[in-house]
Amino acid sequence: MTDTAAIDTTAPLGLGPAASESSTLDITHLADALREGTKSVHHEAENSPFVKRFTKGEISIGEHGRYLISLYFVYKTLENLLDEHKDNPAIKAIYFPDELRRLDALAHDLEYYYGKDGFDRVTDPATMTPAVKAYVDAMENAAKIDPALLVAHSYTRYLGDLSGGLILAKRFKKFVLGVKESEDVAEGLDFYTFDNVGNAKAFKTEYREQLNAIPVTQETKERIVAEAIHCFQLNIAVFDEVQKLSDEGKLLPTVCN
């Protein structure tokens, strides 16, 4: 499993364990800095065993359900923190609740996989797995240090959902659910549907432009990139955890098999 030791986001980039990728980063625009600074760890995430199987359409409904449970806790925390800090100048620039909010979609999907009674059980905070708890704690700690660091978590999750997430959904829909790609709707995939975004490519361009409009110092920029690297590591840990639970036969039964 990928080393997910916490990055020291209170120090200049280069002191954290994953910061070496970007320690000499001096790029004017924040969006470019994030893209360049996370290239290596992004590649690592794409090549994790769970994501590779997901890309090939080889994961099971139970694995997908477990993945969505993990994301439910992640998005509940992320979206609560973004709401809490929406007036912070950095957050305000990339705050698109109507377009991006995922929690309700995840709740709907989890009710499909586990039923309404099961939903309450699988979303009980006491059931959070270690990788998910580490992810949630990392976001809460980042917000305490500097709410601007939440930009890294928003960028990593939402732009990922609008890019690779849509590809994964198509593969799952075709190979696991047996639904034709030409069919627009499939139960259990609301998470991947952004009804208020319209053109995903155009929206991602707008989001990046908003990132570049955030007034940040070089030091803050480096800390945001470091936090984004950490965010990718946290996601890799979640992928690996889902795979491990599957390998050990510890996935929760779904009601839609």
Side-chain angles (χ1 to χ4, degrees), residues 117-163:
D117 292 337
F119 170 78
D120 291 335
R121 291 194 298 272
V122 301
T123 58
D124 182 344
T127 67
M128 257 191 271
T129 53
V132 174
K133 183 66 165 57
Y135 200 155
V136 166
D137 288 348
M139 287 188 285
E140 291 176 342
N141 290 336
K144 289 176 183 176
I145 293 167
D146 182 353
L149 296 177
L150 293 172
V151 169
H153 291 276
S154 173
Y155 165 86
T156 302
R157 280 288 356 154
Y158 289 126
L159 288 199
D161 297 334
L162 282 166
S163 300

Side-chain angles (χ1 to χ4, degrees), residues 106-218:
L106 282 163
H108 188 265
D109 286 342
L110 290 177
E111 285 191 3
Y112 171 75
Y113 285 115
Y114 300 103
K116 290 188 177 181
D117 292 337
F119 170 78
D120 291 335
R121 291 194 298 272
V122 301
T123 58
D124 182 344
T127 67
M128 257 191 271
T129 53
V132 174
K133 183 66 165 57
Y135 200 155
V136 166
D137 288 348
M139 287 188 285
E140 291 176 342
N141 290 336
K144 289 176 183 176
I145 293 167
D146 182 353
L149 296 177
L150 293 172
V151 169
H153 291 276
S154 173
Y155 165 86
T156 302
R157 280 288 356 154
Y158 289 126
L159 288 199
D161 297 334
L162 282 166
S163 300
L166 297 182
I167 296 172
L168 294 177
K170 288 180 180 180
R171 297 301 177 92
F172 186 79
K173 185 176 172 181
K174 178 179 180 180
F175 294 108
V176 181
L177 299 182
V179 178
K180 293 180 180 179
E181 290 189 30
S182 58
E183 296 182 32
D184 292 333
V185 179
E187 287 290 336
L189 294 174
D190 280 6
F191 169 68
Y192 305 98
T193 303
F194 291 80
D195 291 327
N196 295 329
V197 164
N199 185 295
K201 183 177 180 180
F203 181 84
K204 286 187 290 183
T205 297
E206 180 184 359
Y207 186 98
R208 293 188 181 100
E209 289 173 350
Q210 289 296 103
L211 277 175
N212 291 336
I214 297 174
V216 292
T217 64
Q218 180 65 18

Side-chain angles (χ1 to χ4, degrees), residues 7-16 19 145 149 219-220 222-224 226:
I7 291 173
D8 180 5
T9 50
T10 65
L13 190 65
L15 301 184
I145 293 167
L149 296 177
E219 179 184 2
T220 300
E222 291 174 344
R223 290 168 62 197
I224 291 172

Side-chain angles (χ1 to χ4, degrees), residues 71-77 79-80 100-108 119 158 191:
L71 291 184
Y72 179 89
F73 292 115
V74 169
Y75 277 98
K76 184 173 184 178
T77 301
E79 292 175 354
N80 283 344
L100 296 178
R101 199 179 297 274
R102 297 289 84 204
L103 194 62
D104 288 346
L106 282 163
H108 188 265
F119 170 78
Y158 289 126
F191 169 68

